[in-house]
Amino acid sequence: MSYEVTEARYRVAAAGDRIPDGRVVAVVDEPGVATVIVRPGHASELLLRDIADQQASMLATGQWLRLEPGTEPGPGQDRVTEACWQIAPAGTLPEGIVCLPVEKRGRHVWLIREGEASEQLIREMSELLTAMVRAGVWVQKWTEALDAQEA
C-alpha cells in the first residue's frame, strides 16, 4: 500500500523539538506530512520557506509518491535512486533563486544557494535523502505526469 505525502514543512527548531545530539536536522514523518526541523543558525528562513513552497507545488502535481517499506512500485512509477542537497556556488543560480530542484528520472538534487544552509545541514539532508531512497520508499510517477501533460 502507498500513500501520498501532501505537505512538506520546513522550520527552525523551537523549544521542545528533539534533534539528536551532534545533528542539526530531524525529520518528523507522519502519513501525509513530513516536517523538517533545523537547528537555529543552519538554514536561512528564506531557504526553509522557499523549499517548502517549491515542494508544495511538486507534491500537488502528484508526481511523487511515498511507498510503505516493502511495497513495489506500480506501473508508470520509477524508484528514485539518487537524492541529495548540493551547495550552488555564488553566481551559479539566477538572482533571487535560493534553491532549485534538478530532477530527471530516478534522480533528484536540490541546489542550495551558497550561504543559505550550513555545510553540516547539506551533508545531513543528503544522508537522510540517500537513506530514504535506498530503502526504496520514494517513487516518481513520470509516465502518469507526462501522459497528463500530453492530454
Side-chain angles (χ1 to χ4, degrees), residues 80-99:
V80 179
T81 57
E82 182 182 355
C84 64
W85 280 22
Q86 292 179 358
I87 292 176
T92 58
L93 292 179
E95 182 82 22
I97 301 295
V98 178
C99 62

Side-chain angles (χ1 to χ4, degrees), residues 1-7 27-34 59 62-69 71-72 77 132 137-139 141:
M1 173 137 186
S2 59
Y3 62 91
E4 290 188 46
V5 172
T6 57
E7 185 178 2
V27 178
V28 177
D29 192 19
E30 301 168 320
V33 180
L59 294 170
Q63 289 180 299
W64 282 83
L65 183 70
R66 168 77 191 261
L67 298 179
E68 290 183 11
T71 304
E72 289 300 315
Q77 299 174 352
M132 283 190 272
V137 298
W138 281 101
V139 294
K141 297 193 298 185

Side-chain angles (χ1 to χ4, degrees), residues 5-117:
V5 172
T6 57
E7 185 178 2
R9 300 175 187 157
Y10 288 78
R11 64 178 177 81
V12 173
D17 286 328
R18 294 184 184 147
I19 298 176
D21 290 341
R23 306 281 296 178
V24 300
V25 66
V27 178
V28 177
D29 192 19
E30 301 168 320
V33 180
T35 303
V36 177
I37 303 169
V38 180
R39 282 195 197 280
H42 287 275
S44 71
E45 290 280 350
L46 181 58
L47 170 63
L48 299 180
R49 200 170 39 252
D50 193 36
I51 200 166
D53 288 346
Q54 289 192 51
Q55 281 192 328
S57 65
M58 292 166 59
L59 294 170
T61 65
Q63 289 180 299
W64 282 83
L65 183 70
R66 168 77 191 261
L67 298 179
E68 290 183 11
T71 304
E72 289 300 315
Q77 299 174 352
D78 294 313
R79 285 215 187 271
V80 179
T81 57
E82 182 182 355
C84 64
W85 280 22
Q86 292 179 358
I87 292 176
T92 58
L93 292 179
E95 182 82 22
I97 301 295
V98 178
C99 62
L100 182 69
V102 178
E103 186 170 23
K104 66 179 185 179
R105 205 170 278 229
R107 183 171 194 259
H108 186 86
V109 177
W110 279 102
L111 298 177
I112 309 295
R113 180 180 292 281
E114 187 174 33
E116 298 295 330

